């Protein structure tokens, strides 16, 4: 394989990975979880191909230096694009994780607030049935019947 061919393959792989990540960024921005999930296989495949092409270049460092200046420039431009979309992707994924974490906390908090007390009566003697409580750690009133 010629130096230009090897560099072209690396450029194509870099741009393909950048395209998939960019598509994922758009799906994350629109909160389209099903689209993000659908892109995972494509992202893995593009990542594997990208790694293989970069490994080829590392195994033959002279090929990159022998490639035409325009090919090296294309590779540098593709790398910059990948860096840009990857940075956006990291931030978008962090935001999505934080959003999911907050949502789970809100759901858990809502469930906790709606739990019904295990006691049949409040401290004042009123019926507590069906009343939401935030006293999940309060001791449960128990009475013992002793028979002689």
């Amino acid at each position: 394989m010629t130096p230009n061919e090897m560099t072209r393959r690396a450029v194509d792989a870099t741009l393909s990975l950048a395209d998939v990540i960019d598509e994922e960024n758009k799906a994350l921005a629109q909160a389209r979880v099903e689209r993000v999930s659908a892109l995972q296989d494509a992202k893995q495949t593009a990542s594997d191909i990208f790694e293989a092409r970069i490994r080829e270049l590392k195994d033959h460092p002279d090929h990159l230096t022998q490639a035409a200046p325009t090919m090296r420039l294309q590779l540098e431009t593709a790398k910059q694009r990948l860096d840009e979309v990857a940075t956006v992707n990291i931030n978008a994924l962090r935001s999505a994780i934080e959003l999911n974490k907050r949502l789970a906390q809100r759901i858990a908090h809502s469930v906790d607030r709606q739990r019904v007390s295990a006691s049949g009566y409040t401290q004042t003697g009123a019926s507590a049935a069906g009343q939401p409580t935030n006293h999940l750690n309060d001791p449960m009133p128990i009475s013992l019947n002793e028979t002689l």
Side-chain angles (χ1 to χ4, degrees):
M1 184 178 315
T2 69
N4 284 341
E5 289 170 343
M6 189 176 285
T7 305
R8 166 54 51 201
R9 287 168 45 118
V11 168
D12 291 345
T14 304
L15 291 175
S16 292
L17 179 56
D19 288 344
V20 173
I21 293 173
D22 190 42
E23 184 68 26
E24 182 180 53
N25 291 344
K26 291 174 185 172
L28 285 166
Q30 297 169 354
R32 291 176 32 217
V33 177
E34 72 287 343
R35 181 66 181 140
V36 172
S37 295
L39 286 168
Q40 293 312 298
D41 287 340
K43 187 176 179 183
Q44 185 61 54
T45 300
S47 294
D48 292 344
I49 293 169
F50 170 75
E51 288 178 20
R53 299 302 174 253
I54 297 304
R55 199 174 316 113
E56 286 175 354
L57 285 175
K58 285 185 177 185
D59 290 345
H60 301 93
D62 56 314
H63 278 50
L64 189 55
T65 58
Q66 293 171 4
T70 55
M71 293 303 300
R72 290 195 307 265
L73 180 61
Q74 286 178 13
L75 183 58
E76 182 60 33
T77 302
K79 180 194 168 300
Q80 288 173 354
R81 179 162 184 267
L82 179 59
D83 289 346
E84 289 169 5
V85 296
T87 299
V88 171
N89 190 253
I90 289 168
N91 293 331
L93 288 171
R94 282 183 184 150
S95 294
I97 289 168
E98 184 61 29
L99 179 65
N100 284 335
K101 182 179 168 184
R102 287 182 188 172
L103 181 61
Q105 288 172 340
R106 285 183 182 165
I107 290 170
H109 184 64
S110 176
V111 168
D112 285 345
R113 281 186 318 197
Q114 294 177 19
R115 283 192 183 161
V116 175
S117 173
S119 68
Y121 299 95
T122 66
Q123 288 179 336
T124 62
S127 173
Q131 298 295 320
T133 180
N134 287 327
H135 306 289
L136 297 176
N137 295 324
D138 287 354
M140 183 183 303
I142 296 177
S143 65
L144 297 176
N145 250 345
E146 281 189 86
T147 320
L148 296 174

